[in-house]
Amino acid sequence: MNGKNKVIDLNRTLYNLTEEYPELIKVFSDLGLAGAGNALLRKTLGRKVTIKEGIERNDLSLTEVKQRLEKEGFTVEDERRARRETLKEIIRDIHRQKSPEELKERFRDLISDVGATEIAQLEQELIQEGLPESEVKSLCDVHVAVFQEGLEKQERPEEQGGHPVHTFRKENGALTELIGKYKPVLERVLAASSADEMHILVQEWQALHRQLSEIEKHYSRKENILFAYLEKHGVSGPPKVMWAIHDDIREQLKEVRNTLTEVGDINVTALHNVAERTAQPMLKAIEDMIYKEENILFPMSLETLTEWEWAAVAEQSADIGYALIEPDQGWTASVPPEPIAPGTYLKPSTEAGETLDAGAEAESVKPLAFETGVLTPEQISLIFNHLPVDITYVDEHNSVRYFSLGKERIFQRSKAIIGRQVQNCHPPDSVHIVNRIVEDFRSGKRDAAHFWIQLGGKFVYIQYFAVRDQEGRYRGVVEVTQDVQEIRHLEGEKRIYSEE
């Protein structure tokens, strides 16, 4: 999509390389590589001789060959590998507290064309090599600052209205505009000295903060849909770092919201403190995240996801909603959404006016026998979706296999999580709890775990149950989530059916 360089390894044979890239036949012929222009020789001798061996046998200049290949849009693997190692060493130097400005000066030529995808790959590799995600998170802004020149030089294609990236960017525009209104209010709060003056400002502050809290929908779509598809392509480290920053921003939003909600008698000093120590850093963190999205996440995602994956992102986004805006219309994927693996997701019913083909209809009515009854797949789906609880099943390999589609969900789910590792479905700070539950269930130490939390006026009861087969083998975890606010207040008895 964005004209990525083609990377080739000169240790491959002439036949293999020219089969994959037929345009190399003319390039190697022009350079004087014997047999390159002869179809018979390519298919016989060319199956045994590597390009490097051919260069040596024909006394060609390796430098000239690499220069010609680069001119034709190819990158030689060994040079690419050396470049990557140098770039990773730059990031390691950042973590060793080396001066970012000194590094920018020393490696200006190298880092001036580093793009979003390459930065994401570098961070991914470093995390896999042992660099803690928490450390990458703490210095994420410094990474961006060092590679800023290359990021701002990269091509940023304009997506058509309705494309998920266009919608994300439209939200960022609305959020930037809102922050532009929010900042002056904080400045006036910090300048206010009387309770009467502060009382008027607090009302304005509350209204702006309610609007800013819409950012949760923006972050939730990233975490539950976009990140899930990036993980399918092996990109998991950078999304985890972003998710951890989202959670920091959520905590700041919550602290400001709680302070503004609890305002009774105006405490000027307390409001000064939350404005300066929490609200202002929060706005800065949101602006920094917008920059990372615009210059790293979105360009990298556009290079990574397929057209049908973007179709799936678009299809699932409406279930979560949008922050401050409505998506434009216009973009339509050239292919349908990515199909979910057979048997992992069953559409509960057809839409109005939609008909199932004969094969699909047969599958939907084919009964399944259980120990205590017989049900069709459609009936099973309807039963789960009408239970007053949210159910999610994770198999013995920690892969999410199913979730119910009740009318009112407590925690957001999207079809993108099917097949996703359960650890990647949770904020980084809580993954250790997920791992502990799974290991205790797997080892047989425990069969259940229970939690309860206050969430937006709801009292949420969360239960985890180990799933075991008839032989006692561990087969996964079922999560059951329910709002028990009303149940907690039940007293006495109700034996008569009546109008509620």
Side-chain angles (χ1 to χ4, degrees):
M1 182 174 289
N2 290 330
K4 291 184 285 186
N5 258 19
K6 293 165 282 192
V7 180
I8 59 174
D9 184 352
L10 298 185
N11 290 304
R12 292 176 64 187
T13 65
L14 173 64
Y15 174 78
N16 284 337
L17 268 182
T18 53
E19 282 292 297
E20 183 173 355
Y21 302 109
E23 63 268 37
L24 286 176
I25 294 173
K26 183 177 186 309
V27 174
F28 289 141
S29 295
D30 291 347
L31 286 166
L33 198 66
N38 186 305
L40 180 60
L41 287 176
R42 286 200 309 274
K43 292 178 181 178
T44 53
L45 186 61
R47 289 180 183 271
K48 301 177 180 178
V49 178
T50 67
I51 300 299
K52 271 195 174 178
E53 289 171 341
I55 290 170
E56 292 171 3
R57 290 183 185 184
N58 291 274
D59 291 325
L60 302 179
S61 165
L62 181 59
T63 301
E64 288 180 11
V65 171
K66 289 179 178 178
Q67 288 173 346
R68 174 65 188 275
L69 288 169
E70 187 175 332
K71 184 180 178 182
E72 298 293 333
F74 292 89
T75 300
V76 177
E77 177 64 32
D78 56 355
E79 289 192 347
R80 176 172 172 264
R81 190 180 296 116
R83 169 189 167 88
R84 288 283 279 276
E85 286 305 317
T86 302
L87 288 170
K88 284 199 287 186
E89 196 59 30
I90 291 171
I91 295 178
R92 292 189 189 100
D93 279 346
I94 293 171
H95 290 257
R96 297 180 188 120
Q97 309 300 314
K98 294 286 183 71
S99 164
E101 290 305 316
E102 177 192 338
L103 292 169
K104 285 169 70 172
E105 189 61 36
R106 280 173 53 202
F107 299 100
R108 184 168 301 278
D109 290 342
L110 180 63
I111 66 180
S112 63
D113 64 347
V114 174
T117 301
E118 191 163 18
I119 290 176
Q121 290 170 341
L122 293 169
E123 290 185 342
Q124 177 79 34
E125 289 176 17
L126 286 166
I127 289 170
Q128 290 172 340
E129 291 168 10
L131 189 64
E133 290 169 13
S134 58
E135 194 173 325
V136 176
K137 171 195 163 190
S138 67
L139 289 172
C140 187
D141 291 338
V142 185
H143 296 182
V144 173
V146 169
F147 297 112
Q148 183 175 3
E149 182 181 349
L151 289 173
E152 294 182 352
K153 282 169 57 178
Q154 69 184 340
E155 183 183 346
R156 285 179 51 182
E158 188 62 37
E159 297 304 315
Q160 187 178 359
H163 187 284
V165 169
H166 183 279
T167 302
F168 276 123
R169 285 177 169 157
K170 186 177 180 182
E171 285 177 316
N172 281 344
L175 288 165
T176 299
E177 184 178 341
L178 180 61
I179 289 170
K181 298 175 183 176
Y182 200 127
K183 285 181 177 179
V185 172
L186 291 182
E187 290 171 3
R188 285 157 54 203
V189 165
L190 291 169
S193 56
S194 71
D196 289 341
E197 187 181 5
M198 189 68 82
H199 181 74
I200 298 170
L201 285 169
V202 164
Q203 292 179 327
E204 190 175 354
W205 188 359
Q206 286 172 327
L208 289 168
H209 197 74
R210 278 194 295 272
Q211 291 183 67
L212 189 62
S213 296
E214 287 280 298
I215 202 171
E216 173 59 33
K217 296 172 185 176
H218 182 91
Y219 290 163
S220 184
R221 292 205 322 282
K222 286 170 63 181
E223 295 161 355
N224 292 291
I225 307 175
L226 182 57
F227 289 175
Y229 283 104
L230 287 172
E231 286 160 15
K232 294 176 189 291
H233 294 271
V235 183
S236 60
K240 286 180 182 177
V241 171
M242 273 196 171
W243 194 333
I245 297 171
H246 293 171
D247 283 346
D248 289 345
I249 293 170
R250 286 182 173 113
E251 283 301 311
Q252 293 168 320
L253 285 163
K254 182 179 179 181
E255 184 178 341
V256 173
R257 181 169 58 250
N258 288 345
T259 301
L260 295 177
T261 301
E262 293 166 3
V263 169
D265 295 331
I266 296 293
N267 185 323
V268 175
T269 301
L271 289 167
H272 280 172
N273 285 339
V274 78
E276 183 176 12
R277 297 177 185 177
T278 307
Q280 287 185 330
M282 171 190 72
L283 296 184
K284 175 67 164 55
I286 292 172
E287 288 180 316
D288 289 346
M289 179 56 70
I290 289 173
Y291 184 91
K292 295 182 186 83
E293 289 177 1
E294 297 287 339
N295 292 283
I296 297 178
L297 179 65
F298 299 154
M300 182 261 292
S301 298
L302 287 168
E303 286 194 351
T304 304
L305 269 60
T306 65
E307 183 79 353
W308 69 1
E309 286 171 334
W310 282 122
V313 173
E315 180 187 63
Q316 297 169 42
S317 291
D319 291 338
I320 296 176
Y322 308 95
L324 305 174
I325 60 102
E326 287 297 325
D328 291 351
Q329 301 301 314
W331 177 79
T332 303
S334 59
V335 293
E338 179 189 33
I340 301 297
T344 57
Y345 177 79
L346 178 68
K347 190 174 182 180
S349 62
T350 59
E351 302 295 336
E354 182 182 349
T355 58
L356 291 170
D357 62 41
E361 187 173 7
E363 282 299 311
S364 71
V365 298
K366 184 178 179 181
L368 300 173
F370 298 93
E371 286 184 284
T372 54
V374 178
L375 295 168
T376 66
E378 183 186 32
Q379 289 169 336
I380 295 168
S381 183
L382 288 168
I383 290 169
F384 276 121
N385 292 343
H386 283 79
L387 291 174
V389 295
D390 291 345
I391 296 175
T392 304
Y393 171 61
V394 178
D395 70 14
E396 64 267 38
H397 305 297
N398 297 339
S399 178
V400 180
R401 306 302 296 170
Y402 171 84
F403 65 91
S404 59
L405 278 173
K407 289 183 179 179
E408 294 185 13
R409 297 205 57 82
I410 295 171
F411 297 118
Q412 190 59 53
R413 298 283 189 270
S414 69
K415 287 185 282 186
I417 71 168
I418 301 301
R420 195 179 189 188
Q421 287 290 289
V422 66
Q423 289 85 352
N424 293 334
C425 298
H426 292 78
D429 286 348
S430 64
V431 169
H432 68 288
I433 299 173
V434 175
N435 287 334
R436 185 174 175 185
I437 292 171
V438 169
E439 289 310 311
D440 283 352
F441 284 4
R442 191 186 300 277
S443 68
K445 182 179 179 181
R446 296 182 65 175
D447 288 317
H450 309 274
F451 303 87
W452 47 93
I453 60 172
Q454 303 276 357
L455 184 67
K458 298 176 180 179
F459 191 89
V460 180
Y461 187 40
I462 308 165
Q463 299 170 278
Y464 296 93
F465 301 102
V467 177
R468 307 188 193 282
D469 62 20
Q470 291 182 335
E471 283 73 41
R473 292 173 299 193
Y474 173 75
R475 298 301 297 273
V477 180
V478 167
E479 177 194 72
V480 180
T481 307
Q482 183 177 15
D483 177 11
V484 296
Q485 182 70 31
E486 292 186 14
I487 296 173
R488 294 176 72 213
H489 299 301
L490 293 178
E491 294 180 347
E493 297 182 345
K494 181 180 186 297
R495 292 173 174 264
I496 300 173
Y497 175 68
S498 61
E499 296 293 332
E500 296 296 336

